[in-house]
Amino acid sequence: MSQMPAIQTILAKAGLRPTAKRVALAKLLFDGVDKHVTADDVMEMVRRKRLRVSQATVYNSLNQFCAAGLLKRIVIDSSSTVFDTNTSHHHHLFYEDDGHIVDLAGDSISLLGLPDLAEHESLLSVDLILRVGRAHD
Amino acid sequence: MSQMPAIQTILAKAGLRPTAKRVALAKLLFDGVDKHVTADDVMEMVRRKRLRVSQATVYNSLNQFCAAGLLKRIVIDSSSTVFDTNTSHHHHLFYEDDGHIVDLAGDSISLLGLPDLAEHESLLSVDLILRVGRAHD
DNA sequence: ATAGTTGCAAAAGTTTTGCATTGTA
DNA sequence: TACAATGCAAAACTTTTGCAACTAT
């Protein structure tokens, strides 16, 4: 189990003030276990823990965490945005059946033949999603 | 320029009745030039051509075209769904600046190290998006 | 003290749906 | 004729925003 720094430290390093709501949400997210959550998932966690955090604050905080580099926004399905607590370079296996997502180490797959970009352009990210479903046989 | 079969033929092959609205929308989309469009883009095309097709019908038709394999849904940005008239296996370059999308031939990039799947699972699709932005130097 | 945060409700944007009407086979 | 397709408006959802009250530094 990876040892996480104190929540206060995580927020401080990201330049975010450790307010009550942010600390509460960060505790839910940064517990050392990688997670993939939607805003609604977080609302559900908040409800279960009987916390008092509004939906707007959940959305705002997730966006702030993203901007600060604590979360990564992943685009899997246009129905809702998923946030990933694993911010390192990696890929995703997406199970269409139940919607769960599994991380694949970034170096486990190699991509050959990536195109050259123009001088003034840069590759911001390489997003690879493997969609998996039940075999149809 | 690739020669497209008649719209009626395309729809018939897909098992869709060639109704006036569907034919009109199919003409906009399947003109031999690959396109990436959102529902809103299609509404805009409809307006420009002074066609009388409602928003609901645009959405319904795009979904029907997708289900029939005439369009491919691509997930680039969770803000809106993009439909691709190129239904063959390929990848995407996404320019964050202006949101335009460029196709990359499926065989131009090779992926090594794709994980093995369980017996009852199958790989439905391999979606690769290269996000490009202005170089920050 | 001051600048950043929060909650609430409302707004905005995308997509779906119910239902009466119309068109296709 | 029977069934599918259409338009309209309204609903459903996700996400953002304006503003007054509050809180960390």
Side-chain angles (χ1 to χ4, degrees):
Chain A
M1 177 169 308
S2 71
Q3 184 62 34
M4 298 296 288
I7 296 298
Q8 326 285 344
T9 311
I10 293 178
L11 293 176
K13 276 193 186 168
L16 295 171
R17 283 158 61 170
T19 63
K21 313 298 167 139
R22 283 216 274 245
V23 170
L25 294 176
K27 272 187 191 161
L28 294 176
L29 297 172
F30 311 121
D31 61 358
V33 181
D34 286 343
K35 288 169 187 23
H36 302 99
V37 298
T38 62
D40 202 53
D41 291 336
V42 175
M43 279 309 284
E44 188 52 40
M45 293 162 120
V46 163
R47 272 179 234 115
R48 265 202 292 272
K49 292 243 175 180
R50 301 281 191 286
L51 300 176
R52 233 55 58 84
V53 186
S54 74
Q55 181 175 261
T57 298
V58 165
Y59 273 100
N60 290 339
S61 300
L62 287 174
N63 285 334
Q64 290 155 358
F65 290 170
C66 252
L70 298 178
L71 288 177
K72 212 164 147 182
R73 197 182 287 269
I74 60 184
V75 183
I76 291 270
D77 185 301
S78 49
S79 72
S80 69
T81 303
V82 175
F83 297 90
D84 192 343
T85 58
N86 177 353
T87 57
S88 65
H89 170 61
H90 64 285
H91 306 298
H92 293 108
L93 264 175
F94 177 65
Y95 290 83
E96 306 256 351
D97 287 347
D98 60 355
H100 86 274
I101 300 169
V102 173
D103 284 356
L104 289 173
D107 59 7
S108 67
I109 295 175
S110 37
L111 296 138
L112 301 178
L114 294 185
D116 292 323
L117 297 176
E119 190 69 34
H120 56 96
E121 296 168 343
S122 74
L123 193 52
L124 302 179
S125 72
V126 175
D127 297 353
L128 177 63
I129 297 172
L130 307 179
R131 291 174 201 272
V132 178
R134 232 180 282 286
H136 47 289
D137 48 338
Chain B
M1 179 166 309
S2 72
Q3 185 59 37
M4 298 296 290
I7 296 297
Q8 327 285 343
T9 312
I10 294 178
L11 292 177
K13 276 193 186 171
L16 295 172
R17 284 157 60 170
T19 62
K21 314 296 168 139
R22 284 216 272 246
V23 170
L25 293 177
K27 271 187 192 161
L28 294 176
L29 297 172
F30 311 121
D31 60 358
V33 180
D34 287 343
K35 287 170 188 23
H36 303 100
V37 297
T38 62
D40 201 52
D41 291 337
V42 176
M43 279 308 287
E44 188 52 41
M45 291 161 121
V46 163
R47 271 179 234 116
R48 265 201 293 271
K49 292 243 173 180
R50 301 281 190 285
L51 301 176
R52 233 52 59 85
V53 187
S54 74
Q55 181 175 262
T57 298
V58 166
Y59 273 99
N60 291 338
S61 300
L62 287 174
N63 286 334
Q64 290 154 359
F65 290 170
C66 250
L70 297 178
L71 286 177
K72 210 165 148 181
R73 196 182 287 268
I74 60 184
V75 184
I76 291 270
D77 186 300
S78 49
S79 71
S80 70
T81 302
V82 175
F83 297 90
D84 192 343
T85 57
N86 178 352
T87 57
S88 65
H89 169 62
H90 65 285
H91 307 296
H92 294 107
L93 264 175
F94 177 66
Y95 289 83
E96 305 258 349
D97 286 347
D98 60 354
H100 86 274
I101 299 169
V102 172
D103 283 357
L104 290 173
D107 59 8
S108 67
I109 295 176
S110 33
L111 295 139
L112 302 179
L114 293 186
D116 292 324
L117 296 176
E119 190 68 34
H120 56 95
E121 296 168 342
S122 74
L123 192 53
L124 303 179
S125 72
V126 175
D127 297 354
L128 177 63
I129 298 172
L130 307 180
R131 290 173 202 273
V132 178
R134 231 182 282 287
H136 47 289
D137 49 339

